[in-house]
Amino acid sequence: MASKTVRQLREDVTARILTLTGWKESRVAPDNFGRDADSIAHKAFAVHPTSTDDLRAYRGRPAEGLLVETTLEVRYSWRLTPKGMSDSYDDALDAEQSITNCLMVYDTAWPQSYKVQLMTATRESNTIGEWVIGVLTFRIVHTLPLQ
């Protein structure tokens, strides 16, 4: 398993989601995404590594790197159309599934560095019913480099 920093993890997750058609990364700080109207747009997302925890059961210095678990949130927004809110909401659920599939698929580049597990998926529409704001929370086990 190759060592990757938390920054590299965030960049790798962002790059994978950008392979999906029409998605764009939000320019606001990830923890501010969805808090106001200026931070959301249709098919926008933010990748937020919320915490990283040491998985070692001993105190010795690891040879390759530090085995850690990073909790990572993918926050996304989806516009609901006024004349088809139910259908738009279903489309948002399909989009959420496509993000999940994108991050959990096993291919030649992804699983060597990261072990990904979906922990929770939450979603809610804003007060005026114009947007769905969703949060996918993943547990990602990886190795942090020590040098």
Side-chain angles (χ1 to χ4, degrees), residues 108-125:
T108 57
W110 195 242
Q112 283 87 25
S113 299
Y114 309 118
K115 304 300 178 203
V116 181
Q117 178 184 9
L118 176 66
M119 300 302 290
T120 60
T122 60
R123 64 211 65 83
E124 64 182 6
S125 38

Side-chain angles (χ1 to χ4, degrees), residues 74-115:
V74 176
R75 300 174 184 201
Y76 72 92
S77 56
W78 190 273
R79 190 172 198 288
L80 297 174
T81 58
K83 293 186 178 180
M85 288 215 171
S86 180
D87 290 338
S88 295
Y89 191 83
D90 288 342
D91 292 342
L93 294 175
D94 289 342
E96 179 182 286
Q97 185 64 46
S98 69
I99 292 171
T100 302
N101 292 350
C102 176
L103 296 181
M104 297 204 53
V105 69
Y106 288 96
D107 61 27
T108 57
W110 195 242
Q112 283 87 25
S113 299
Y114 309 118
K115 304 300 178 203

Side-chain angles (χ1 to χ4, degrees), residues 57-77:
Y58 59 91
R59 292 180 161 249
R61 182 176 169 89
E64 253 182 56
L66 186 64
L67 185 64
V68 295
E69 172 186 301
T70 296
T71 301
L72 183 133
E73 292 180 349
V74 176
R75 300 174 184 201
Y76 72 92
S77 56

Side-chain angles (χ1 to χ4, degrees), residues 10-22:
R10 195 186 86 71
E11 289 171 347
D12 289 346
V13 168
T14 299
R16 288 217 31 129
I17 296 171
L18 287 172
T19 64
L20 300 171
T21 305

